[in-house]
C-alpha cells in the first residue's frame, strides 16, 4: 500500500506538485498520466524516495519514508524505483548487472540465476547477456534496465516511462503482458508513468491524471469516462480533462487551415 | 649452485645484497659532501623499519587476502607453524639487522640501539592492524606505547625499552589474533565480484544509479561506541604530539603542528563533501530565497557538524591556553577534538543517507566518465 498525504514539491519557485493526497491499494496497477512537465516523474520520484518533498508525507506499507533508518531501509528493500533513464554499469555484462541487482535485493541465488536467464531470453537479450552493457543499443539498455526492475522481485514496482527509450514493439508487448499478469494476480503494486494513454489503457487498474502539479482525477478508466462525460478512448478522455479547450481549438484550426 | 638455494633464502640474500651494495655506493658518493653520512643513516633507518614491517606484512595472513582465504579452507590452527613462514622475527631477520648494525659503524652516529629500536617500532606497527577488535584495549595501549617510543627517538635506550615493552604486549594481540583466525572464515567470492578490493565500491559500481545509492548500505551501520571514539581521538592527539617531538627546533615543531591542525580543519570540509555527494538540496538556492525558506532543517543539519568541526579547533586551543597548557599540547589536543566532533556530531552518514531531506542526484555516475552509461 502506498499513501501520499498533502505532497507539495518545488525545485525552484514554481511548485511541481501541489497538495497531492492519494492512496494506492496493494496489487493495483496505477498509471500516472499527464502532459509533459506536469509532475508525473516528480510524483513517482517522491514515492520512490529519490526526492524529499517540501511538504507532506509518504507511507509505504505502513512505514513512513525517510523517517527512521530501519523503516527507510525496509522500504527500499521492498521497492524498486526505475527512472526513465537510469545509469548502468558500462563495463559489466547484462548478466552481471542483473545478478548484482538481484543480490542487492537478497533474491535466493539459484532462483536468481534462473530468473536472469529467463529475463534475458524474454527481452531478446540472450545473445547480448554476456557482453558489456556499453555495447548495447539504446533499446537494449532500456530492456536490461527493465529486466533489472523485474529481477528484484519486490512487491512494489515504480517505473518511470517504461515504454519509452527506444523499446521495440516486442519489448513493449512483453512488458505490457508482464504488467497485465501481475495486475491480474494482484501480487505486486505497480505504479508507472506514461505520456501516451493508448499504451496503458489495457493495463491500468486506476489512472492518476495530473495537470500543473495538481491531482485532476484518480479513478478507474470507467470512472474517468463518467467524470469526463465521454465514453471514448483514454486519450480523448484525458484531453477533456487536461485540455478542455483543445478539441474546440483543433476543430477551428482544421476549418481555417486544413486545406 | 644458486639454483640449489631455496627461493626464500635466495630472496633474502638478494635483499641483503641490495642493501649492502646500495648503502656502500651512497656512502662512497656522498663522502666528499659537507654531511657525508647523512643519507646513509637515512637508508639504514628506513631499511631497519622496512625489515621490521616486512616480517609481519609478508607472512601474516591478514595482509594477504588470497593467503587468508586459502588458509581458511585448510585445517591449519595456530598451534601449527604458518605455511608461508613465521610472523615473529627469525635468525634471518637477526642477520639482516646485524648487517645494518655493522654497516652503521661506518658512520660515527647515531649508535646501534637506534636501528634496533627502529626495527622493533616497524615490527610492532605492522602487528597493530592485525590485532582483533575484541582485543581493542591491547591495540590501544600498543598504539600509545608506540607513540612513546617515537617520542623518545632521540634517547635510544628509552626508545628501545619502550619498543620492547610494547612488543611484548603486541605479541599477545598477535597470538590471540592467530588463535581465533579460524573462527571467522571469509565467504568465497568470485574474482569478478571483487574488482576494486572494496566491497562497497564494487557493489555501487555493479548496479549503477539509482540502485547503488538507494540499496547499498553505507558502512557505518554500527557506529563506534562513544568511548572507543574518545580513545581513538586521544590516541590521534597523543601521536601528533609524539611526532612533533621529533622536531628538535621549537619553531619547526610549531610549524609542523600548525600544518597538521590545518589539515584536520580541512577534514571538516571533506566530511561535508562525503555527505553532499550525490545528495542535492531539495530546492535551489534561488528557490530558497524566493520562497523565504532559508533554512531547511532536514537538509541543513549536515552543516552542524561542519560548523562545529571548524569551531572545535580554535576553541580547544583557547580553552587550553586559559589553563596554561603549552602550545604543542594545545595544537595536538585541537586535532583530537576536531576529529571527535566530526565523528560524533549527528547525523551519522548512514542516518543521513537514509533519512536526510535531499534529492538523490546521479552526479557521481555522470562524472564517472565511461564507467556508467544512461539507458534509453
Amino acid at each position: 500500500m502506498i499513501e501520499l498525504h498533502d505532497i507539495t514539491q518545488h525545485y525552484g519557485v514554481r511548485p511541481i506538485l501541489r497538495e497531492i493526497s492519494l492512496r494506492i491499494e496493494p496489487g493495483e496497477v496505477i498509471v500516472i498520466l499527464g502532459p509533459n512537465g506536469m509532475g508525473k516523474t516528480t510524483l513517482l520520484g517522491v514515492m520512490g524516495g529519490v526526492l524529499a518533498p517540501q511538504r507532506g508525507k509518504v507511507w509505504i506499507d505502513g512505514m513512513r519514508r525517510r523517517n527512521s533508518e530501519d523503516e527507510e531501509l525496509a522500504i527500499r528493500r521492498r521497492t524498486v524505483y526505475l527512472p526513465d533513464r537510469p545509469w548502468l554499469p558500462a563495463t559489466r555484462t547484462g548478466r552481471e548487472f542483473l545478478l548484482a541487482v538481484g543480490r542487492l535485493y537478497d533474491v535466493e541465488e539459484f532462483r536468481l540465476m534462473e530468473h536472469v536467464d529467463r529475463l534475458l531470453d524474454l527481452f531478446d537479450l540472450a545473445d547480448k547477456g554476456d557482453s558489456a552493457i556499453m555495447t548495447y543499443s539504446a533499446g537494449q539498455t532500456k530492456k536490461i534496465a527493465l529486466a533489472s526492475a523485474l529481477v528484484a522481485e519486490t512487491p512494489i514496482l515504480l517505473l518511470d516511462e517504461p515504454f519509452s527509450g527506444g523499446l521495440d514493439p516486442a519489448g513493449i508487448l512483453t512488458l505490457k503482458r508482464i504488467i497485465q499478469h501481475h495486475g491480474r494476480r494482484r501480487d505486486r503494486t505497480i505504479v508507472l508513468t506514461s505520456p501516451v494513454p493508448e499504451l496503458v489503457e489495457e493495463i491500468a487498474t486506476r489512472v492518476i491524471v495530473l495537470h500543473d502539479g495538481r491531482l485532476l482525477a484518480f479513478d478507474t478508466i470507467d470512472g474517468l469516462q463518467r467524470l469526463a462525460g465521454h465514453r471514448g478512448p483514454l486519450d480523448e478522455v484525458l484531453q477533456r480533462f487536461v485540455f478542455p479547450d483543445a478539441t474546440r481549438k483543433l476543430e477551428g484550426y482544421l476549418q481555417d487551415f486544413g486545406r | 649452485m644458486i639454483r640449489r638455494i631455496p627461493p626464500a633464502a635466495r630472496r633474502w640474500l638478494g635483499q641483503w645484497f641490495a642493501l649492502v651494495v646500495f648503502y656502500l655506493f651512497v656512502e662512497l658518493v656522498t663522502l666528499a659532501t659537507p654531511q657525508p653520512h647523512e643519507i646513509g643513516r637515512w637508508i639504514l633507518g628506513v631499511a631497519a623499519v622496512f625489515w621490521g614491517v616486512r616480517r609481519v606484512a609478508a607472512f601474516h595472513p591478514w595482509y594477504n587476502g588470497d593467503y587468508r582465504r586459502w588458509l581458511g579452507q585448510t585445517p591449519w590452527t595456530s598451534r601449527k607453524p604458518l605455511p608461508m613462514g613465521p610472523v615473529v622475527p627469525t635468525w634471518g631477520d637477526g642477520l639482516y639487522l646485524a648487517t645494518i648494525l655493522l654497516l652503521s659503524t661506518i658512520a660515527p652516529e647515531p649508535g646501534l640501539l637506534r636501528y634496533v629500536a627502529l626495527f622493533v617500532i616497524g615490527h610492532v606497527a605492522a602487528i597493530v592492524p592485525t590485532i582483533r577488535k575484541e582485543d581493542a584495549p591491547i591495540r590501544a595501549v600498543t598504539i600509545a606505547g608506540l607513540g612513546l617510543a617515537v617520542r623518545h627517538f632521540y634517547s635510544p635506550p628509552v626508545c628501545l625499552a619502550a619498543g620492547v615493552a610494547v612488543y611484548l604486549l603486541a605479541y599477545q594481540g598477535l597470538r590471540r589474533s592467530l588463535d581465533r583466525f579460524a573462527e571467522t572464515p571469509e565467504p568465497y567470492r568470485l574474482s569478478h565480484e571483487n574488482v576494486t578490493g572494496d566491497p562497497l565500491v564494487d557493489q555501487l559500481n555493479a548496479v549503477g544509479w539509482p540502485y547503488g545509492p538507494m540499496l547499498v548500505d553505507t558502512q557505518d551501520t554500527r557506529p563506534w561506541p562513544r568511548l572507543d571514539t574518545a580513545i581513538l581521538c586521544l590516541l590521534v592527539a597523543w601521536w601528533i604530539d609524539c611526532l612533533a617531538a621529533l622536531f628538535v627546533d621549537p619553531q619547526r615543531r610549531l610549524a609542523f603542528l600548525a600544518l597538521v591542525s590545518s589539515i584536520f580543519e580541512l577534514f571538516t570540509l571533506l566530511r561535508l563533501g562525503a555527505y553532499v555527494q550525490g545528495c542535492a538540496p531539495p530546492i535551489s538556492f534561488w528557490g530558497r530565497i524566493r520562497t523565504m525558506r532559508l533554512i531547511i532543517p532536514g537538509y541543513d543539519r549536515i552543516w552542524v557538524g561542519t560548523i562545529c568541526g571548524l569551531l572545535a579547533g580554535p576553541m580547544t586551543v583557547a580553552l587550553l591556553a586559559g589553563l596554561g597548557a603549552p602550545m604543542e599540547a594545545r595544537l595536538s589536543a585541537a586535532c583530537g577534538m576536531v576529529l571527535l566532533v566530526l565523528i560524533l556530531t549527528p547525523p551519522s552518514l548512514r542516518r543521513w543517507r537514509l533519512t536526510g531531506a535531499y534529492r538523490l542526484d546521479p552526479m557521481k555516475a555522470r562524472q564517472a566518465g565511461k564507467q556508467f552509461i544512461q539507458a534509453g
Side-chain angles (χ1 to χ4, degrees), chain B residues 238-373:
Chain B
W238 165 244
W239 255 90
I240 290 169
D241 202 48
C242 293
L243 287 174
L246 293 175
F247 294 89
V248 183
D249 177 17
Q251 291 297 321
R252 291 180 71 181
R253 194 185 310 148
L254 283 179
F256 166 77
L257 284 167
L259 177 73
V260 174
S261 312
S262 315
I263 292 170
F264 271 75
E265 290 291 323
L266 277 178
F267 284 169
T268 56
L269 301 179
L270 290 178
R271 178 188 191 265
L272 181 68
Y275 278 71
V276 299
Q277 194 178 47
C279 302
I283 180 171
S284 68
F285 182 67
W286 182 236
R288 281 193 196 216
I289 292 170
R290 288 284 300 272
T291 57
M292 289 306 286
R293 298 188 70 224
L294 298 179
I295 293 177
I296 302 169
Y299 186 81
D300 292 332
R301 60 183 163 150
I302 52 170
W303 287 98
V304 175
T306 308
I307 293 166
C308 289
L310 287 171
L311 291 177
M315 282 175 74
T316 308
V317 170
L319 187 74
L320 291 179
L323 295 172
M327 195 56 173
E328 286 88 342
R330 281 183 239 164
L331 290 170
S332 308
C335 295
M337 185 56 81
V338 169
L339 197 62
L340 185 73
V341 168
L342 291 183
I343 295 174
L344 288 187
T345 311
S348 71
L349 190 58
R350 181 174 186 260
R351 181 163 179 77
W352 162 251
R353 294 256 165 93
L354 288 168
T355 65
Y358 59 82
R359 181 163 48 89
L360 205 63
D361 184 43
M363 175 189 76
K364 203 175 163 190
R366 227 179 358 243
Q367 288 173 347
K370 291 177 179 171
Q371 199 176 342
F372 298 102
I373 55 165

Side-chain angles (χ1 to χ4, degrees), chain B residues 50 68 72 75 79 100 104 109 112 117 124 135 137-138 145 150 174 210-211 216 263 280 282 295 310 312 315 339 356:
Chain B
F50 166 75
R68 189 170 63 234
R79 281 189 290 276
I100 290 176
S104 74
E109 284 181 349
L112 306 179
V124 176
D135 297 324
I138 294 179
V150 170
L174 177 75
Y211 291 122
V216 177
I263 292 170
I295 293 177
L310 287 171
M315 282 175 74
L339 197 62

Side-chain angles (χ1 to χ4, degrees), chain A residues 10-11 13 48 50-52 54 66 69 72-73 76 85-90 97 103-105 141 148-149, chain B residues 193 205-206 208-209 211 214-215 283-284 293 350-351 353-354 356 358-360 370-376:
Chain A
H10 52 105
Y11 301 114
V13 182
V50 292
L51 297 171
Q54 265 80 67
R66 300 208 190 188
E69 291 161 71
E72 178 63 23
L73 203 60
R76 289 184 183 190
R85 300 189 66 201
W87 291 83
L88 309 178
F97 169 58
R103 282 173 191 153
L104 211 52
Y105 281 93
T141 55
S148 74
Chain B
E193 287 180 286
N205 290 348
W209 189 94
Y211 291 122
M214 289 289 280
L215 266 301
I283 180 171
S284 68
R293 298 188 70 224
R350 181 174 186 260
R351 181 163 179 77
R353 294 256 165 93
L354 288 168
Y358 59 82
R359 181 163 48 89
L360 205 63
K370 291 177 179 171
Q371 199 176 342
F372 298 102
I373 55 165
Q374 220 173 353

Side-chain angles (χ1 to χ4, degrees), chain B residues 151-221:
Chain B
R151 192 183 185 84
H152 290 284
F153 181 70
Y154 294 113
S155 313
V158 183
C159 178
L160 181 60
V164 170
V166 98
Y167 173 72
L168 294 174
L169 186 67
Y171 180 75
Q172 293 303 313
L174 177 75
R175 201 176 48 80
R176 290 161 70 102
S177 77
L178 289 173
D179 280 347
R180 295 181 196 166
F181 176 75
E183 288 174 17
T184 48
E186 280 192 32
Y188 180 72
R189 280 175 185 279
L190 295 170
S191 59
H192 75 263
E193 287 180 286
N194 195 7
V195 178
T196 64
D198 181 344
L200 194 73
V201 174
D202 285 335
Q203 263 187 312
L204 280 166
N205 290 348
V207 292
W209 189 94
Y211 291 122
M214 289 289 280
L215 266 301
V216 177
D217 203 359
T218 312
Q219 263 177 338
D220 58 350
T221 47

